[in-house]
Amino acid sequence: MRFHPRRLPLALAALLTLPLSLSVSTPAAAAPDPARSCQVSPGGFLSEGPTDWRNFPRPAGKVKMAMLFVDFANAPADTSVESELNLFSPVSENWYAASSYGKFDLDILPYKRWLRLPATLNDQALQHPLMRGEDHRPDVVTDDPALASIFRNAVALADPHFDFAETDALLLVPSRRSGYTRGYATFERIQADGNTILAETNLATSRYRDGHILLNHEGGHLLSLPDTYGGPGGFGWTGGWDVMGHMWGPAPDHFAWHKWKLGWLADTQIACLATRGGAIEQTVTPVETEPGTKAVVVRYGASTAYIAEVRQRIGLDTRACDTGVLIYRIDSRTPSGSGPVRVMDAQPNTSCGGLGLNNAPFDLGPGEVATFTDAANRVRIQVVAKSGADYTVRASLG
Ligand SMILES: [Zn+2]
């Protein structure tokens, strides 16, 4: 703050009343509520609510996903399966090892030959609105038998030569000249070798532009995460944070909320406030590294919560436009692709790297904003101290 002599009387008056107003508006910080108190109600199939793991491969320990390469009579392969495999392995596997702190060990099992599928399956893709760029729905297709049948046909072709007994999910790589231009996920229960494959993704030809991050976005769907992109300008809800939003964004590591939902964060790493009239204060460490408390969660409704986490330019976020305390709201009632996560913008009139939310974090220091308030829901989250990469965050729920 600059020194303004003419404002001194006002400043003095403010100082004199400060202790009184503080004691009225913010209760003393107490011990956090149990983390379970900050769980929200279940939502739809892909939501920010708790995951029903009967429907998704659980990303704990080694998880095997089969990778099948398919071409078509009218779009024969003109690349090698090795070159296609190298787009994703081991980079996508390493990405998950980093984001999960080593808890999720994705093991891609490739069947290294092109499987020839009928031209009709390619023609259906060419006609599909998702592939024609006319459809901006989320890239999860659960209501289209024509697109779904490609997975069943590929498994049937590979089955005599490939063991699906321990395969939890299927990664499909269509030929470069196929009509599958946009990646998507689906959830066909495909029986093979006495096993049920729960989730599948088509790593479409957009992979030549997107690279490994396409698998890490579609893989998020396979693990139950919803799409968080959309909103004003296409990325107006979450900017470049979390791969489920802008997959090419500068800070693609998953939100702490997503890591907790996936089981990569223990309950002991969540500082929860779910009691009206309460306040907590907690030191939070960067989400990109494993130790310490990863988030302050304020659950203010049955389906809604605010989360405050720390982002630094480390790990998967080395390209982050800005650092500090990222605050966002989740609502488990909001469907995938309709904005289930909304990042709160500390700097609403500025942008970074072309997106308004890329410098959304709250912080201490010149030009920074330290306090977020949702008056209607009586939630206040405040950055109170900073030490190295860690921040102390105070939250109150009135
Ligand atoms: Zn998606």
Side-chain angles (χ1 to χ4, degrees):
M1 186 193 288
R2 288 197 195 90
F3 180 64
H4 294 286
R6 275 174 298 174
R7 292 186 195 164
L8 196 56
L10 252 180
L12 269 177
L15 263 179
L16 285 171
T17 58
L18 200 58
L20 183 63
S21 62
L22 264 181
S23 65
V24 170
S25 62
T26 55
D33 293 312
R36 293 287 148 188
S37 304
C38 276
Q39 280 204 341
V40 294
S41 304
F45 187 69
L46 293 177
S47 81
E48 297 298 337
T51 300
D52 181 346
W53 290 111
R54 290 171 300 183
N55 298 325
F56 304 91
R58 192 174 200 133
K62 187 181 283 291
V63 175
K64 295 177 180 176
M65 297 192 185
M67 180 173 276
L68 302 182
F69 305 86
V70 297
D71 69 355
F72 306 88
N74 58 351
D78 60 354
T79 61
S80 69
V81 291
E82 284 79 12
S83 69
E84 303 291 356
L85 175 62
N86 290 344
L87 291 176
F88 303 110
S89 181
V91 194
S92 296
E93 292 153 314
N94 293 343
W95 195 97
Y96 275 126
S99 186
S100 71
Y101 319 115
K103 293 188 170 62
F104 172 34
D105 179 10
L106 171 61
D107 190 9
I108 297 175
L109 299 178
Y111 179 50
K112 292 187 182 176
R113 56 161 292 183
W114 290 100
L115 300 163
R116 177 61 55 87
L117 291 176
T120 48
L121 288 176
N122 189 35
D123 295 339
Q124 285 161 354
L126 289 165
Q127 298 305 318
H128 198 277
L130 192 74
M131 306 302 165
R132 292 162 63 95
E134 297 165 356
D135 189 336
H136 297 286
R137 286 185 304 178
D139 52 296
V140 175
V141 181
T142 52
D143 54 355
D144 193 309
L147 280 194
S149 61
I150 184 177
F151 299 99
R152 293 186 183 280
N153 279 271
V155 169
L157 272 181
D159 199 15
H161 318 282
F162 188 89
D163 186 7
F164 290 97
E166 294 184 340
T167 298
D168 296 302
L170 176 59
L171 311 169
L172 199 79
V173 179
S175 63
R176 190 181 64 84
R177 288 185 281 185
S178 73
Y180 293 89
T181 52
R182 197 175 158 204
Y184 61 96
T186 193
F187 298 89
E188 297 293 312
R189 289 171 173 264
I190 302 175
Q191 305 292 330
D193 296 321
N195 185 34
T196 302
I197 303 168
L198 293 172
E200 303 84 18
T201 176
N202 186 324
L203 300 168
T205 57
S206 53
R207 67 184 178 272
Y208 299 119
R209 177 194 61 195
D210 302 337
H212 76 278
I213 206 73
L214 175 64
L215 193 157
N216 294 109
H217 174 93
E218 301 301 338
H221 292 315
L222 305 188
L223 306 178
S224 81
L225 297 182
D227 275 314
T228 58
Y229 58 74
F235 302 102
W237 291 325
T238 56
W241 307 98
D242 194 297
V243 70
M244 300 316 293
H246 192 340
M247 76 170 96
W248 319 295
D253 203 358
H254 282 303
F255 291 125
W257 181 261
H258 284 166
K259 295 189 185 202
W260 190 35
K261 174 177 161 73
L262 295 177
W264 300 344
L265 290 181
D267 288 356
T268 52
Q269 294 179 283
I270 302 296
C272 169
L273 174 61
T275 308
R276 290 277 172 194
I280 61 174
E281 194 170 298
Q282 183 70 46
T283 296
V284 182
T285 58
V287 78
E288 299 89 356
T289 60
E290 183 174 19
T293 298
K294 295 290 118 179
V296 168
V297 179
V298 183
R299 188 180 63 73
Y300 64 94
S303 317
T304 51
Y306 280 101
I307 296 97
E309 67 188 38
V310 173
R311 291 282 182 148
Q312 295 290 0
R313 281 188 196 94
I314 49 178
L316 298 176
D317 289 343
T318 48
R319 294 184 295 117
C321 253
D322 192 17
T323 60
V325 176
L326 189 67
I327 298 174
Y328 51 95
R329 186 183 72 217
I330 64 95
D331 189 334
S332 63
R333 296 167 299 188
T334 307
S336 173
S338 298
V341 181
R342 306 290 175 100
V343 168
M344 303 295 117
D345 197 351
Q347 312 278 351
N349 300 317
T350 62
S351 66
C352 185
L355 290 179
L357 288 176
N358 280 355
N359 60 344
F362 291 75
D363 210 335
L364 298 170
E368 298 285 356
V369 176
T371 303
F372 166 77
T373 305
D374 175 349
N377 292 301
R378 289 178 289 162
V379 175
R380 191 162 89 146
I381 299 173
Q382 191 180 0
V383 183
V384 294
K386 179 179 181 177
S387 174
D390 305 339
Y391 285 82
T392 301
V393 175
R394 182 188 170 89
S396 62
L397 181 59

